[in-house]
Amino acid sequence: MNELKKYIVTISFSLIFIALIGVLFYNQSQIRQTPTIYVFDIETDDFYIKDIEFVVLPDYIYVAKQYLEVIGENKVFDGVSYGLSIGENMIVSLSQADDPFHLPDTANGKIYYNTNNLFENMKVSKEDSIHVEIHYKVNGESKDVVGEIKLSDVVKPFTLTGERKPIHLQ
């Protein structure tokens, strides 16, 4: 009977040891995962949304920044709003009343937005798409722009060997 107890204790410790090693390897693989960075520009007929950048880690998305830049001259805006979503999750939602290109913090027809949003418990893959909605009024005319952008098309390469072409949405 004594040998049976030793055998059960030995087997139990062995199973616990194997389970702990498995948990350790799993945790190390999660820590060492490389983040995926997505960077792109959106072009409408009247302005750009440039340097839209977000980083995807397992279960997390971090949205960094973007800026608006007017296209052309003699344009008067009466509000600009836009949203970016992946699936049912909105990752960027900005709205600016009046003319964003003529505010005190605008420089050379550009206005910068530092969103710095962290979203937890979101799973994103390169096969997903970003849904884009842009609403604005320019020179008295209301415009609505809607589109989809595949994430696989906007993955940031490790070396940037040329200029990004903006994605034109109408």
Side-chain angles (χ1 to χ4, degrees), residues 1-2 5 24 26 29 42 73 90 95 97 104 111-112 115 125 130 136-137 141 143 152 160 163 165:
M1 185 71 167
N2 212 4
K5 278 186 175 182
L24 178 67
Y26 175 76
S29 70
I42 296 174
E73 297 178 12
M90 182 73 69
S95 183
I111 184 163
Y112 291 85
T115 49
S125 75
I130 303 165
Y136 63 100
K137 191 173 189 178
E141 180 185 352
K143 295 189 177 185
S152 59
L160 196 56
E163 193 156 325
K165 294 195 182 214

Side-chain angles (χ1 to χ4, degrees), residues 41-46 48 71 145 165-170:
D41 303 327
I42 296 174
E43 176 185 19
T44 69
D45 293 333
D46 302 297
Y48 295 105
I71 297 174
V145 178
K165 294 195 182 214
I167 299 165
H168 187 75
L169 299 178
Q170 295 182 357

Side-chain angles (χ1 to χ4, degrees), residues 144-161:
D144 298 315
V145 178
V146 177
E148 296 282 330
I149 300 170
K150 289 184 175 185
L151 287 178
S152 59
D153 294 341
V154 295
V155 174
K156 183 176 182 179
F158 289 109
T159 59
L160 196 56
T161 57

Side-chain angles (χ1 to χ4, degrees), residues 26-155:
Y26 175 76
N27 285 340
Q28 287 298 313
S29 70
Q30 292 293 345
I31 289 171
R32 295 180 193 270
Q33 283 192 344
T34 305
T36 305
I37 301 172
Y38 299 93
V39 180
F40 57 99
D41 303 327
I42 296 174
E43 176 185 19
T44 69
D45 293 333
D46 302 297
F47 65 92
Y48 295 105
I49 307 172
K50 287 196 165 187
D51 288 344
I52 302 167
E53 180 177 280
F54 60 97
V55 180
V56 175
L57 287 160
D59 298 327
Y60 295 97
I61 295 178
Y62 173 73
V63 181
K65 62 180 169 90
Q66 63 262 196
Y67 70 92
L68 302 181
E69 182 178 332
V70 70
I71 297 174
E73 297 178 12
N74 301 324
K75 293 185 180 179
V76 178
F77 289 82
D78 187 20
V80 172
S81 67
Y82 62 94
L84 306 174
S85 57
I86 299 174
E88 298 296 318
N89 300 304
M90 182 73 69
I91 61 169
V92 173
S93 179
L94 288 168
S95 183
Q96 177 66 59
D98 299 323
D99 190 338
F101 302 104
H102 292 97
L103 294 174
D105 56 347
T106 302
N108 300 323
K110 299 177 185 177
I111 184 163
Y112 291 85
Y113 294 106
N114 231 350
T115 49
N116 295 330
N117 292 325
L118 178 66
F119 299 93
E120 297 182 46
N121 301 320
M122 283 187 64
K123 298 254 188 228
V124 175
S125 75
K126 291 178 184 172
E127 289 77 38
D128 289 336
S129 293
I130 303 165
H131 180 74
V132 179
E133 281 191 48
I134 305 170
H135 307 283
Y136 63 100
K137 191 173 189 178
V138 61
N139 296 336
E141 180 185 352
S142 293
K143 295 189 177 185
D144 298 315
V145 178
V146 177
E148 296 282 330
I149 300 170
K150 289 184 175 185
L151 287 178
S152 59
D153 294 341
V154 295
V155 174

